Amino acid sequence: MFHQSFSANHQGRDFAIGDLHGMYDLLFEALDKVDFDFAKDRCFSVGDLIDRGARSEQCLGLINEPWFHPVCGNHEDTLRMVARCLASSAITADWILNGGRWHLMVPTEKLHYYADLVDTLPELISVTTPSGKLIALCHAEYPLPYWAPDDIEKDSELRNYMMWSREKVRSGDTSTVSGVDAIICGHTIVESPQQLGNSFYIDTGAFQSNILTLVNLENLQVVT
């Protein structure tokens, strides 16, 4: 599944979090601060659940939780390439240097299970808010100047861009994506949440700053 769409949550609230990177306990600390209701509220993630922090396997387990909805990040994409021997030795070495060493202690069978779990993740999520806004989430950056999930799904380069690109945020591109109210992204660490056009970058480097950004999707306000 490339794109997963969620209807409005009229029973609770919707939040988005920045890159988690193994900081499992930090997630629950942030949710506790907003009195997150696990039966009614939803938590959407811009991906990169794993690596760098201490609890990658527990963060992967969040995929099975009914209240937690992540997109696939580049670190998850690398995990499945390595697990299925599709990655070069250089890619594997780079992954280890960037926090993927934990996988060396995981049995091959379990690593394959994690790769299958990653396969269930969409690369793009859209959420309709109770007020009718359309909010999208992808890991790195949205690649088109207009909202067209079907066009992206057919183009592997555009899909790859959504998981790996830093072009827009590094160039300070303030252009607006038409047809969608906001796009929430992670991947590139920013000192504080940054808005460029109608794109919002919320990876505040939780694994090193101990700050996991949490955004209310209804009003796009940072709450932690």
Side-chain angles (χ1 to χ4, degrees), residues 136-179:
L137 297 94
C138 63
H139 176 59
E141 294 182 326
Y142 184 83
L144 297 175
Y146 51 88
W147 178 247
D150 291 344
D151 291 352
I152 299 172
E153 184 173 11
K154 298 169 188 173
D155 190 321
S156 60
E157 287 189 18
L158 293 180
R159 293 176 67 165
N160 195 57
Y161 184 104
M162 287 209 320
M163 287 189 289
W164 291 88
S165 177
R166 303 184 197 276
E167 181 182 327
K168 288 185 176 182
V169 66
R170 284 184 170 171
S171 66
D173 184 351
T174 59
S175 61
T176 296
V177 178
S178 63

Side-chain angles (χ1 to χ4, degrees), residues 79-130:
L79 182 155
R80 62 184 169 192
M81 286 193 294
V82 171
R84 292 166 179 158
C85 300
L86 300 176
S88 67
S89 58
I91 289 174
T92 303
D94 185 66
W95 184 38
I96 291 170
L97 286 173
N98 282 282
R101 179 172 295 276
W102 64 273
H103 91 277
L104 299 174
M105 278 68 79
V106 176
T108 300
E109 208 171 278
K110 197 170 188 182
L111 201 61
H112 287 163
Y113 164 73
Y114 289 146
D116 291 342
L117 202 56
V118 168
D119 281 344
T120 69
L121 301 181
E123 291 159 31
L124 182 66
I125 282 176
S126 59
V127 185
T128 299
T129 71

Side-chain angles (χ1 to χ4, degrees), residues 26-36 38 43 67 214:
L26 193 60
L27 169 63
F28 288 93
E29 289 174 18
L31 296 180
D32 186 58
K33 288 177 183 176
V34 296
D35 294 320
F36 189 87
F38 292 92
C43 181
W67 51 269
L214 191 71

